[in-house]
């Protein structure tokens, strides 16, 4: 077989696999390659998702209500048409997942069980115990068409000729030709010292898209989950203790046994995710330990995955409170795309966590990201079917990239971002972080340079936005300001700029800017 594909999809999480399914339905004749670091079904953050997928499914619910909640969480930065697409197409995508065999929890009468999560007005989270992502990934992976070629490898370059994509480089040396490339490479959590994200979530796709000329948007918006299990010796990755534990009555206590959340918010444990995360940060700053007491809950029966993770880390939730810390969980920013996943580079598409569709604004509503992967992955597949599949006559020569990273330098990046771009930010802290990253530049060469690029762009965007909004909380600018009610936009080769909401990207805008 030659190394020429019609479409290469980079990433086999919910977003990448949704693209493949949708493409198969629209244009089965295309030669499609699916590039991933791990096997589909086990790849990326998708199988780690615990809570489930938010969707307007219940009798008392509607896409309009789901839209309302999503916009409220997004703190003024959501793109309304993208949110409408998310909420109105969500039920169709869940129906398709059920038809693929996803075995979500059901009532005795066969209807789907729906749970309620913080900031949702209705019960609308479709789930499979506390291993919902695993079930979704299993169903999507099992049904992957045989014609799709699985390619294990690491994306190291996006090859561009003139102003359009012509292929990719994998593993620092091997080039594959493709006139259409879809980035579905997930998040950035592994660039922070504490994260719930799996290995590989280093934002490489973001950096490579930027190097290929793509615009990035809202890079400063990082969501912190309040309750990661604070264990030693696990590197950056910490096991997640799902929000549903608090929903079912688990309490946040300190070393004195006091349930401290009421000091910080009237809704206590059930306050919005960013409020609880910040309260934990403050309580820890005051010298306290933070623990989740789930002893009164049937954790083993109701939260099998959490139970397993705790036992593996040496904690028994039935007999002891669990040490918890906030940790980086989700990146709202990403490669700027239109409603069909087109980036500002012709032939380059993006969906899932690596993209910025505008559905999450400044703060993601819980359980909306799996849905985003399903809906916008499907949309990319639909739009791709009509794309231009002419191959470039030849590929540009791409210098080899050394794959080895300096582990100490990467650990330093994690510390820098954790302290400089953490839960509480300031000009001084972010300037210090930028300077520290600059000093590290020479050690972050080759493959590690993507970490440097992404980290620097995130901090620059955070410095630029002189307000607090959604997940971007500054100690020196504590208010939300109408002046900043817009997106931070990174156009390669230019300084960070503010993009007004009215100028939300349509495809012609995006392409015009890149030419
Ligand atoms: C612990 C945890 C719990 C969560 N719970 C929920 C939840 O309950 N509900 C919800 O909606 N969301 C949840 N999320 C968020 C959600 O899981 C992710 O946002 C979503 O799965 C991202 O899907 P994706 O397809 O964009 O990327 P991923 O699933 O992360 O897949 C990324 C893919 O890209 C590949 N890749 C990455 N870099 C490269 C490279 N350089 N070269 C080649 N391949 C590459 C990876 O191998 C993988 O195949 C949770 C996240 C975590 C970490």
């Amino acid at each position: 077989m030659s190394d020429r594909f019609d479409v290469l999809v980079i990433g086999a999480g919910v977003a990448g696999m949704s693209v493949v399914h949708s493409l198969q339905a629209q244009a089965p004749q295309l030669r499609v390659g699916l590039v991933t670091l791990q096997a589909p079904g086990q790849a990326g953050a998708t199988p780690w998702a615990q809570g489930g997928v938010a969707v307007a499914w219940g009798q008392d619910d509607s896409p309009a209500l789901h839209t309302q909640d999503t916009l409220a969480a997004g703190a003024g930065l959501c793109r309304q048409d993208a949110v409408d697409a998310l909420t109105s197409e969500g039920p169709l995508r869940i129906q398709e997942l059920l038809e693929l065999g996803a075995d979500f929890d059901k009532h005795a009468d066969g209807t789907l069980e729906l749970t309620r999560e913080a900031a949702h007005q209705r019960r609308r989270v479709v789930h499979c115990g506390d291993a919902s992502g695993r079930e979704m990934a299993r169903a999507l992976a099992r049904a992957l068409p045989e014609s799709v070629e699985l390619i294990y490898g690491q994306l190291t370059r996006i090859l561009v000729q003139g102003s359009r994509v012509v292929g990719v480089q994998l593993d620092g040396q091997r080039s594959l030709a493709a006139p259409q490339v879809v980035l579905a490479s997930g998040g950035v959590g592994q660039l922070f010292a504490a994260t719930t994200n799996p290995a590989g979530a280093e934002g490489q796709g973001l950096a490579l898209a930027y190097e290929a000329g793509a615009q990035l948007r809202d890079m400063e918006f990082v969501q912190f989950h309040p309750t990661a299990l604070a264990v030693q010796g696990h590197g950056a990755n910490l096991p997640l203790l799902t929000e549903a534990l608090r929903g079912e009555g688990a309490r946040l206590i300190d070393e004195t046994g006091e349930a401290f959340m009421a000091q910080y918010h009237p809704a206590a444990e059930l306050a919005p995710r960013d409020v609880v995360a910040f309260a934990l940060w403050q309580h820890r700053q005051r010298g306290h330990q933070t623990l989740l007491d789930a002893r009164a809950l049937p954790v083993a029966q109701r939260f099998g995955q959490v139970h397993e993770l705790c036992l593996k880390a040496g904690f028994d939730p039935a007999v002891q409170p669990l040490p918890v810390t906030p940790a980086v969980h989700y990146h709202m920013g990403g490669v700027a795309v239109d409603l069909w996943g087109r980036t500002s580079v012709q032939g380059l598409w993006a969906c899932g966590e690596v993209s910025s569709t505008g559905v999450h604004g400044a703060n993601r509503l819980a359980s909306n990201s799996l849905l985003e992967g399903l809906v916008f992955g499907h949309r990319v597949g639909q739009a791709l079917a009509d794309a231009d599949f002419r191959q470039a006559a030849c590929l540009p020569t791409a210098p080899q990239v050394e794959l080895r990273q300096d582990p100490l330098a990467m650990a330093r990046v994690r510390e820098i971002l954790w302290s400089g771009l953490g839960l509480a930010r300031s000009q001084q802290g972010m300037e210090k972080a930028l300077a520290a990253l600059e000093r590290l530049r020479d050690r972050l060469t080759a493959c590690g340079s993507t970490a440097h690029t992404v980290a620097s762009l995130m901090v620059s965007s955070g410095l630029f936005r002189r307000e607090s909004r959604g997940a971007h909380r500054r100690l020196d600018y504590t208010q939300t300001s109408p002046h900043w009610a817009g997106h931070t936009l990174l156009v390669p080769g230019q300084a960070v700029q503010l993009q007004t909401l009215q100028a939300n990207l349509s495809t012609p805008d995006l392409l015009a800017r890149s030419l």
Side-chain angles (χ1 to χ4, degrees):
M1 285 291 241
S2 80
D3 280 345
R4 286 177 179 269
F5 291 81
D6 295 310
V7 181
L8 282 169
V9 179
I10 315 296
V14 58
M17 289 197 283
S18 296
V19 174
V20 171
H21 282 289
S22 160
L23 249 186
Q24 170 71 14
Q26 316 282 328
Q29 76 285 0
L30 295 177
R31 184 173 179 210
V32 179
L34 180 59
V35 178
T36 176
L37 299 169
Q38 308 95 359
Q42 292 154 34
T46 299
W48 293 39
Q50 295 181 352
V53 198
V55 64
W57 190 271
Q59 297 282 316
D60 62 345
D61 203 359
S62 68
L65 282 179
H66 190 181
T67 292
Q68 257 179 30
D69 294 344
T70 304
L71 295 178
L77 286 198
C78 293
R79 180 178 172 164
Q80 167 102 39
D81 47 6
V83 176
D84 286 340
L86 178 85
T87 59
S88 61
E89 293 168 24
L92 293 171
R93 303 290 82 87
I94 293 296
Q95 184 57 44
E96 284 165 4
L97 254 188
L98 290 168
E99 284 159 18
L100 286 184
D103 189 14
F104 294 124
D105 291 348
K106 299 189 187 67
H107 296 288
D109 65 359
T111 56
L112 285 178
E113 256 184 37
L114 303 169
T115 43
R116 186 161 173 188
E117 285 187 352
H120 287 274
Q121 298 179 58
R122 294 286 187 269
R123 287 184 163 269
R124 63 165 72 102
V125 180
V126 174
H127 58 277
C128 175
D130 66 345
S132 310
R134 199 192 291 170
E135 178 55 18
M136 274 180 68
R138 185 198 65 78
L140 287 166
R142 206 189 51 163
L144 278 176
E146 276 180 15
S147 57
V148 170
E149 293 169 51
L150 258 189
I151 303 165
Y152 289 100
Q154 180 178 342
L155 178 74
T156 40
R157 271 182 213 283
I158 296 168
L159 304 176
V160 177
Q161 219 161 43
S163 60
R164 60 165 308 130
V165 164
V166 291
V168 301
Q169 183 200 54
L170 298 185
D171 299 328
Q173 45 186 344
R174 175 183 177 203
S175 291
L176 302 180
Q180 305 295 335
V181 171
V182 184
L183 264 184
S185 52
V188 300
Q190 284 288 331
L191 296 179
F192 290 76
T195 181
T196 62
N197 288 190
E202 291 179 2
Q204 288 174 352
L206 282 173
L208 298 174
Y210 186 72
E211 280 165 20
Q215 298 171 10
L216 307 183
R217 190 164 54 197
D218 292 340
M219 290 286 284
E220 67 276 29
F221 291 109
V222 176
Q223 186 170 74
F224 294 81
H225 199 289
T227 54
L229 188 63
V231 281
Q232 302 288 326
H234 281 243
N237 173 245
L238 303 177
L240 177 73
L241 304 182
T242 173
E243 226 150 40
L245 287 160
R246 278 175 284 129
E248 301 281 330
R251 307 299 308 272
L252 283 162
I253 60 172
D254 61 22
E255 72 290 350
T256 67
E258 188 193 343
F260 60 83
M261 267 310 298
Q263 290 174 35
Y264 295 95
H265 195 277
E269 276 80 2
L270 300 182
R273 186 177 280 184
D274 58 321
V275 172
V276 181
F278 190 61
L280 258 76
W281 180 84
Q282 285 175 295
H283 213 61
R284 292 165 75 86
Q285 289 293 305
R286 291 175 186 153
H288 292 290
Q289 292 170 25
T290 48
L291 304 140
L292 185 71
D293 187 353
R295 283 175 293 183
L297 305 188
V299 176
Q301 294 78 38
R302 168 76 179 82
F303 300 99
Q305 179 160 275
V306 164
H307 190 245
E308 210 178 288
L309 289 169
C310 289
L311 292 185
K312 218 161 135 190
F315 297 96
D316 184 348
V319 299
Q320 64 196 131
L322 309 163
V324 287
T325 175
V328 167
H329 188 55
Y330 185 81
H331 189 210
M332 273 74 73
V335 183
V337 293
D338 70 5
L339 289 176
W340 297 94
R342 294 184 185 91
T343 73
S344 53
V345 176
Q346 285 181 44
L348 183 64
W349 310 67
C351 55
E353 192 166 339
V354 73
S355 69
S356 164
T357 56
V359 298
H360 305 302
N363 208 359
R364 174 185 72 117
L365 183 66
S367 292
N368 263 358
S369 43
L370 291 173
L371 189 68
E372 185 195 29
L374 287 172
V375 167
F376 287 89
H378 184 89
R379 283 184 151 239
V380 167
Q382 276 183 307
L384 255 176
D386 296 325
D388 178 356
F389 295 106
R390 278 172 300 175
Q391 297 277 355
C394 59
L395 293 183
T397 35
Q400 291 200 356
V401 178
E402 170 69 56
L403 285 188
R404 200 186 56 80
Q405 287 179 343
D406 176 345
L408 292 178
M410 286 300 289
R412 184 76 192 109
V413 170
R414 294 184 180 115
E415 284 161 21
I416 292 169
L417 282 194
W418 182 249
S419 52
L421 202 68
L423 275 145
R425 303 168 176 183
S426 67
Q427 171 146 351
Q428 200 193 19
M430 287 186 279
E431 282 176 351
K432 216 169 124 190
L434 263 191
L437 285 168
E438 204 41 48
R439 285 195 297 277
L440 213 56
R441 186 190 278 273
D442 292 345
R443 289 174 56 198
L444 288 166
T445 51
C447 200
S449 70
T450 59
H452 188 272
T453 303
V454 175
S456 304
L457 293 174
M458 290 176 81
V459 179
S460 305
S461 302
L463 258 176
F464 177 73
R465 183 177 289 281
R466 290 190 297 281
E467 65 160 354
S468 288
R469 182 185 293 272
H472 177 64
R473 199 181 279 261
R474 286 187 63 150
L475 299 175
D476 46 358
Y477 295 94
T478 54
Q479 301 301 310
T480 301
S481 153
H483 169 77
W484 291 99
H487 301 289
T488 35
L489 187 70
L490 286 157
V491 179
Q494 298 180 20
V496 193
Q497 51 189 278
L498 187 69
Q499 183 195 42
T500 59
L501 288 181
Q502 289 78 0
N504 251 327
L505 307 182
S506 65
T507 307
D509 285 347
L510 273 167
L511 293 177
R513 278 162 207 254
S514 69
L515 294 174

Short mmCIF file of all heavy atoms in Angstrom, two decimals, residues 375-410:
data_model
loop_
_atom_site.label_atom_id
_atom_site.label_comp_id
_atom_site.label_asym_id
_atom_site.label_seq_id
_atom_site.Cartn_x
_atom_site.Cartn_y
_atom_site.Cartn_z
N VAL A 375 -20.75 15.23 18.45
CA VAL A 375 -21.49 16.10 17.52
C VAL A 375 -20.55 16.71 16.47
O VAL A 375 -20.81 16.65 15.27
CB VAL A 375 -22.23 17.21 18.29
CG1 VAL A 375 -22.73 18.30 17.35
CG2 VAL A 375 -23.39 16.61 19.08
N PHE A 376 -19.43 17.27 16.93
CA PHE A 376 -18.57 17.96 15.97
C PHE A 376 -17.68 16.98 15.20
O PHE A 376 -17.31 17.25 14.06
CB PHE A 376 -17.79 19.09 16.66
CG PHE A 376 -18.70 20.24 16.97
CD1 PHE A 376 -19.38 20.30 18.18
CD2 PHE A 376 -18.94 21.23 16.04
CE1 PHE A 376 -20.27 21.33 18.46
CE2 PHE A 376 -19.84 22.26 16.29
CZ PHE A 376 -20.50 22.31 17.51
N GLY A 377 -17.40 15.81 15.78
CA GLY A 377 -16.72 14.77 15.01
C GLY A 377 -17.61 14.36 13.84
O GLY A 377 -17.16 14.24 12.70
N HIS A 378 -18.89 14.19 14.12
CA HIS A 378 -19.84 13.82 13.08
C HIS A 378 -19.91 14.90 12.01
O HIS A 378 -19.91 14.62 10.81
CB HIS A 378 -21.22 13.61 13.71
CG HIS A 378 -22.25 13.14 12.74
ND1 HIS A 378 -22.48 11.82 12.48
CD2 HIS A 378 -23.10 13.84 11.94
CE1 HIS A 378 -23.43 11.70 11.57
NE2 HIS A 378 -23.83 12.92 11.22
N ARG A 379 -19.95 16.16 12.45
CA ARG A 379 -20.04 17.27 11.50
C ARG A 379 -18.81 17.32 10.59
O ARG A 379 -18.92 17.57 9.40
CB ARG A 379 -20.15 18.60 12.26
CG ARG A 379 -21.54 18.82 12.81
CD ARG A 379 -21.67 20.18 13.47
NE ARG A 379 -23.06 20.59 13.34
CZ ARG A 379 -23.47 21.69 12.72
NH1 ARG A 379 -22.60 22.54 12.21
NH2 ARG A 379 -24.74 21.96 12.62
N VAL A 380 -17.64 17.11 11.18
CA VAL A 380 -16.41 17.11 10.35
C VAL A 380 -16.53 16.03 9.27
O VAL A 380 -16.24 16.27 8.10
CB VAL A 380 -15.16 16.89 11.23
CG1 VAL A 380 -13.94 16.59 10.37
CG2 VAL A 380 -14.89 18.12 12.09
N GLY A 381 -16.98 14.85 9.68
CA GLY A 381 -17.13 13.76 8.70
C GLY A 381 -18.07 14.14 7.57
O GLY A 381 -17.79 13.89 6.40
N GLN A 382 -19.17 14.80 7.94
CA GLN A 382 -20.15 15.21 6.92
C GLN A 382 -19.53 16.21 5.94
O GLN A 382 -19.67 16.08 4.73
CB GLN A 382 -21.33 15.91 7.60
CG GLN A 382 -22.38 14.98 8.13
CD GLN A 382 -23.53 15.79 8.71
OE1 GLN A 382 -23.31 16.67 9.55
NE2 GLN A 382 -24.73 15.51 8.27
N ALA A 383 -18.85 17.22 6.49
CA ALA A 383 -18.31 18.27 5.63
C ALA A 383 -17.15 17.75 4.79
O ALA A 383 -16.96 18.14 3.64
CB ALA A 383 -17.84 19.45 6.49
N LEU A 384 -16.38 16.82 5.37
CA LEU A 384 -15.22 16.27 4.66
C LEU A 384 -15.61 15.52 3.40
O LEU A 384 -14.84 15.47 2.43
CB LEU A 384 -14.52 15.27 5.59
CG LEU A 384 -13.23 15.68 6.25
CD1 LEU A 384 -12.78 14.59 7.19
CD2 LEU A 384 -12.16 15.99 5.23
N ALA A 385 -16.79 14.93 3.43
CA ALA A 385 -17.19 14.11 2.28
C ALA A 385 -17.16 14.91 0.99
O ALA A 385 -16.94 14.36 -0.09
CB ALA A 385 -18.59 13.53 2.53
N ASP A 386 -17.33 16.24 1.09
CA ASP A 386 -17.32 17.08 -0.12
C ASP A 386 -16.00 17.80 -0.32
O ASP A 386 -15.92 18.78 -1.07
CB ASP A 386 -18.43 18.15 -0.01
CG ASP A 386 -19.79 17.51 0.02
OD1 ASP A 386 -19.96 16.48 -0.65
OD2 ASP A 386 -20.68 18.03 0.74
N ALA A 387 -14.96 17.38 0.37
CA ALA A 387 -13.69 18.12 0.30
C ALA A 387 -12.94 17.79 -1.00
O ALA A 387 -13.36 16.94 -1.78
CB ALA A 387 -12.84 17.77 1.51
N ASP A 388 -11.86 18.49 -1.19
CA ASP A 388 -11.02 18.32 -2.38
C ASP A 388 -9.95 17.26 -2.06
O ASP A 388 -9.15 17.46 -1.14
CB ASP A 388 -10.37 19.69 -2.67
CG ASP A 388 -9.43 19.64 -3.85
OD1 ASP A 388 -9.22 18.54 -4.41
OD2 ASP A 388 -8.90 20.71 -4.21
N PHE A 389 -9.97 16.16 -2.79
CA PHE A 389 -9.05 15.07 -2.45
C PHE A 389 -7.88 14.94 -3.42
O PHE A 389 -7.23 13.90 -3.49
CB PHE A 389 -9.83 13.74 -2.36
CG PHE A 389 -10.81 13.75 -1.22
CD1 PHE A 389 -12.17 13.87 -1.46
CD2 PHE A 389 -10.37 13.69 0.09
CE1 PHE A 389 -13.08 13.92 -0.41
CE2 PHE A 389 -11.26 13.74 1.15
CZ PHE A 389 -12.62 13.85 0.89
N ARG A 390 -7.62 16.03 -4.16
CA ARG A 390 -6.45 15.95 -5.05
C ARG A 390 -5.17 15.94 -4.23
O ARG A 390 -5.00 16.75 -3.32
CB ARG A 390 -6.43 17.15 -6.00
CG ARG A 390 -7.36 16.95 -7.20
CD ARG A 390 -7.46 18.21 -8.00
NE ARG A 390 -8.01 19.29 -7.18
CZ ARG A 390 -8.12 20.55 -7.58
NH1 ARG A 390 -7.71 20.90 -8.77
NH2 ARG A 390 -8.64 21.47 -6.79
N GLN A 391 -4.29 15.03 -4.57
CA GLN A 391 -3.03 14.91 -3.83
C GLN A 391 -2.01 15.91 -4.36
O GLN A 391 -2.03 16.26 -5.54
CB GLN A 391 -2.43 13.50 -4.02
CG GLN A 391 -3.27 12.38 -3.47
CD GLN A 391 -3.06 12.17 -1.96
OE1 GLN A 391 -2.21 12.80 -1.34
NE2 GLN A 391 -3.86 11.29 -1.38
N ALA A 392 -1.10 16.32 -3.50
CA ALA A 392 0.04 17.13 -3.95
C ALA A 392 0.93 16.25 -4.82
O ALA A 392 1.03 15.04 -4.58
CB ALA A 392 0.81 17.63 -2.74
N ALA A 393 1.59 16.85 -5.82
CA ALA A 393 2.46 16.06 -6.70
C ALA A 393 3.57 15.41 -5.89
O ALA A 393 3.93 14.26 -6.09
CB ALA A 393 3.03 16.96 -7.79
N CYS A 394 4.14 16.16 -4.97
CA CYS A 394 5.15 15.58 -4.08
C CYS A 394 5.09 16.30 -2.74
O CYS A 394 4.57 17.41 -2.65
CB CYS A 394 6.54 15.68 -4.68
SG CYS A 394 6.99 17.38 -5.01
N LEU A 395 5.62 15.63 -1.72
CA LEU A 395 5.57 16.23 -0.38
C LEU A 395 6.81 17.08 -0.13
O LEU A 395 7.89 16.74 -0.62
CB LEU A 395 5.50 15.13 0.68
CG LEU A 395 4.23 14.29 0.70
CD1 LEU A 395 4.28 13.29 1.85
CD2 LEU A 395 3.00 15.19 0.84
N PRO A 396 6.68 18.15 0.64
CA PRO A 396 7.87 18.93 0.99
C PRO A 396 8.81 18.08 1.85
O PRO A 396 8.33 17.22 2.60
CB PRO A 396 7.31 20.10 1.80
CG PRO A 396 5.95 19.68 2.23
CD PRO A 396 5.46 18.65 1.27
N THR A 397 10.11 18.30 1.72
CA THR A 397 11.01 17.54 2.60
C THR A 397 10.91 18.11 4.01
O THR A 397 11.01 19.32 4.21
CB THR A 397 12.48 17.63 2.13
OG1 THR A 397 12.68 18.92 1.61
CG2 THR A 397 12.84 16.56 1.14
N ALA A 398 10.67 17.21 4.95
CA ALA A 398 10.51 17.66 6.33
C ALA A 398 11.71 17.20 7.13
O ALA A 398 12.01 16.00 7.16
CB ALA A 398 9.24 17.06 6.92
N PRO A 399 12.42 18.13 7.78
CA PRO A 399 13.55 17.71 8.61
C PRO A 399 13.10 16.71 9.66
O PRO A 399 11.96 16.79 10.14
CB PRO A 399 14.01 19.01 9.28
CG PRO A 399 13.38 20.11 8.49
CD PRO A 399 12.17 19.56 7.83
N GLN A 400 13.98 15.77 10.00
CA GLN A 400 13.62 14.78 11.01
C GLN A 400 13.46 15.45 12.37
O GLN A 400 14.10 16.46 12.64
CB GLN A 400 14.73 13.73 11.11
CG GLN A 400 14.78 12.86 9.86
CD GLN A 400 15.50 11.55 10.12
OE1 GLN A 400 16.02 11.31 11.20
NE2 GLN A 400 15.52 10.69 9.12
N VAL A 401 12.61 14.87 13.19
CA VAL A 401 12.41 15.41 14.55
C VAL A 401 12.84 14.33 15.54
O VAL A 401 12.39 13.18 15.44
CB VAL A 401 10.92 15.75 14.79
CG1 VAL A 401 10.71 16.25 16.21
CG2 VAL A 401 10.44 16.79 13.78
N GLU A 402 13.70 14.71 16.46
CA GLU A 402 14.14 13.79 17.52
C GLU A 402 12.98 13.57 18.49
O GLU A 402 12.38 14.53 18.98
CB GLU A 402 15.34 14.45 18.22
CG GLU A 402 15.81 13.80 19.49
CD GLU A 402 16.46 12.44 19.24
OE1 GLU A 402 17.41 12.39 18.45
OE2 GLU A 402 15.98 11.48 19.85
N LEU A 403 12.62 12.29 18.74
CA LEU A 403 11.45 12.03 19.58
C LEU A 403 11.73 12.15 21.08
O LEU A 403 10.83 12.37 21.87
CB LEU A 403 10.90 10.63 19.31
CG LEU A 403 10.14 10.44 18.00
CD1 LEU A 403 9.51 9.07 17.97
CD2 LEU A 403 9.08 11.51 17.82
N ARG A 404 12.98 11.98 21.45
CA ARG A 404 13.30 11.95 22.87
C ARG A 404 13.04 13.31 23.52
O ARG A 404 13.38 14.34 22.97
CB ARG A 404 14.79 11.59 23.02
CG ARG A 404 15.19 11.05 24.37
CD ARG A 404 16.70 10.89 24.42
NE ARG A 404 17.40 12.14 24.12
CZ ARG A 404 17.58 13.12 25.00
NH1 ARG A 404 17.14 13.00 26.23
NH2 ARG A 404 18.21 14.23 24.65
N GLN A 405 12.41 13.29 24.67
CA GLN A 405 12.21 14.54 25.42
C GLN A 405 13.12 14.53 26.63
O GLN A 405 13.46 13.46 27.14
CB GLN A 405 10.78 14.64 25.92
CG GLN A 405 9.76 14.92 24.86
CD GLN A 405 8.36 14.98 25.45
OE1 GLN A 405 8.13 14.53 26.56
NE2 GLN A 405 7.43 15.54 24.70
N ASP A 406 13.49 15.71 27.11
CA ASP A 406 14.27 15.81 28.34
C ASP A 406 13.26 15.75 29.50
O ASP A 406 12.50 16.69 29.72
CB ASP A 406 15.03 17.14 28.32
CG ASP A 406 15.79 17.40 29.61
OD1 ASP A 406 15.50 16.71 30.61
OD2 ASP A 406 16.65 18.29 29.60
N PRO A 407 13.22 14.61 30.25
CA PRO A 407 12.18 14.46 31.27
C PRO A 407 12.25 15.52 32.36
O PRO A 407 11.23 15.95 32.89
CB PRO A 407 12.41 13.06 31.84
CG PRO A 407 13.73 12.61 31.34
CD PRO A 407 14.12 13.45 30.17
N LEU A 408 13.47 15.97 32.66
CA LEU A 408 13.59 16.98 33.72
C LEU A 408 13.03 18.32 33.24
O LEU A 408 12.37 19.05 33.98
CB LEU A 408 15.05 17.14 34.15
CG LEU A 408 15.63 15.92 34.88
CD1 LEU A 408 17.09 16.14 35.23
CD2 LEU A 408 14.81 15.61 36.14
N ALA A 409 13.29 18.61 31.95
CA ALA A 409 12.76 19.87 31.41
C ALA A 409 11.24 19.83 31.35
O ALA A 409 10.56 20.81 31.65
CB ALA A 409 13.35 20.12 30.02
N MET A 410 10.69 18.65 30.99
CA MET A 410 9.22 18.53 30.94
C MET A 410 8.63 18.68 32.35
O MET A 410 7.59 19.31 32.54
CB MET A 410 8.81 17.18 30.34
CG MET A 410 9.00 17.08 28.85
SD MET A 410 8.04 18.31 27.93
CE MET A 410 6.38 17.70 28.15
#
